[in-house]
């Protein structure tokens, strides 16, 4: 019986978190429900020990103080150097254990992030990051349809914006155009991944190819864009997989290609010297043999 209760407790901690009674909230230091919102103490990350609990309402206030408030407090939402480079990190990752929040609470965090940026233009980077985080959160919580709609809305924002992406640091027009293009490629990749995971291979191929064509059309002498190898790999591999699933190339051929990719990844891991990464890449090679 005790064993069954232990399993139920673990499940609750990840989806509908069970209230904690052993530690105060590390933000407000209260050991009961939040007085303003009535939220119970929960733990939906990897934290353990006396400072492991918190109220979701406190996490929202903390995340706002690190991202939204510094921008809104500057003139007309203008440049402010106090905002971290990863604008969405305080909303999706615990600052203590550095692990992502999990379970239903991520929907509340994502919605709060979007609502807190409603005074900013849709093409402001912080607002855009909030809506992108919301789209990803919907997907993680099994709402593929909602996620696809949100990613498409983000692409519409970029298509309608002639001035590029409004940034929160001093920037030139070229900086804004480069930021908009980079965000477009990232959103296209995320949208392609949702299509791929929901077996909509024709849509996935169309979106992945759109991203690859957009990158190919970029003039390196005019724009300085950090399209790293990992991003290009994901797009190319998605396109190849979808072509195989749609019968555009033989499935046997994609198997050979995937084996080549796995071996190349292993070679890169060996060069980096990361033993854990090498182990996982070896497993990938074995899987495709």
């Amino acid at each position: 019986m005790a064993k069954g209760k232990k399993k139920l407790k673990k499940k609750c901690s990840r989806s509908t978190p069970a209230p904690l009674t052993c530690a105060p909230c590390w933000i407000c230091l209260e050991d009961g429900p939040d007085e303003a919102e009535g939220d119970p103490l929960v733990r939906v990350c990897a934290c353990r020990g006396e400072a492991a609990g918190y109220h979701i309402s406190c996490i929202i206030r903390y995340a706002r103080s690190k991202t939204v408030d510094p921008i809104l407090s500057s003139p007309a939402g203008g440049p402010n150097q106090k905002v971290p480079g990863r604008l969405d990190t305080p909303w999706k990752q615990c600052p203590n254990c550095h692990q992502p929040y999990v379970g239903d609470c991520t929907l509340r965090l994502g919605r709060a992030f979007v609502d807190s940026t409603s005074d900013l233009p849709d093409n402001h980077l912080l607002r855009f990051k909030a809506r992108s985080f919301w789209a990803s959160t919907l997907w993680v919580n099994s709402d593929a349809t909602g996620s696809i709609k949100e990613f498409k809305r983000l692409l519409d924002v970029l298509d309608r914006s002639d001035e590029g992406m409004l940034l929160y640091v001093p920037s030139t027009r070229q900086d804004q155009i480069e930021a908009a293009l980079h965000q477009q490629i990232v959103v296209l990749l995320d949208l392609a991944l949702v299509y791929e995971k929901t077996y909509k291979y024709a849509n996935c191929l169309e979106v992945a190819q759109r991203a690859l064509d957009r990158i190919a059309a970029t003039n390196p002498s005019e724009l300085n864009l950090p399209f790293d190898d990992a991003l290009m790999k994901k797009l190319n591999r998605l396109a190849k997989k979808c072509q195989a699933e749609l019968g555009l190339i033989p499935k046997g051929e994609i198997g050979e290609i995937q084996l080549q990719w796995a071996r190349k990844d292993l070679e890169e891991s060996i060069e980096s010297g990361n033993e854990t990464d090498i182990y996982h890449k070896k497993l990938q090679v074995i899987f495709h043999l």
Side-chain angles (χ1 to χ4, degrees), residues 182 189 215 225-236:
H182 187 266
L189 172 59
I215 294 172
L225 290 165
F227 295 129
D228 56 28
D229 291 340
L231 188 148
M232 295 296 291
K233 278 182 185 177
K234 288 179 181 179
L235 286 169
N236 279 302

Side-chain angles (χ1 to χ4, degrees), residues 170-207:
S171 56
T172 64
R173 177 170 172 75
Q174 179 168 327
D175 293 332
Q176 295 171 351
I177 294 173
E178 289 175 357
L181 181 53
H182 187 266
Q183 291 303 315
Q184 182 185 40
I185 300 303
V186 171
V187 170
L188 285 170
L189 172 59
D190 288 339
L191 178 56
L193 287 169
V194 176
Y195 277 136
E196 186 253 340
K197 295 299 182 183
T198 52
Y199 309 106
K200 297 178 180 178
Y201 296 116
N203 299 101
C204 177
L205 178 58
E206 179 185 357
V207 173

Side-chain angles (χ1 to χ4, degrees), residues 144-153 191 194-195 198 200:
T145 301
S147 178
I148 290 170
K149 287 181 179 179
E150 288 299 319
F151 280 130
K152 285 183 174 181
R153 286 171 184 164
L191 178 56
V194 176
Y195 277 136
T198 52
K200 297 178 180 178

Side-chain angles (χ1 to χ4, degrees), residues 31-46:
D31 57 3
D34 176 57
E35 293 183 0
E37 303 287 341
D39 287 348
L41 281 167
V42 296
R43 180 185 64 231
V44 287
C45 60

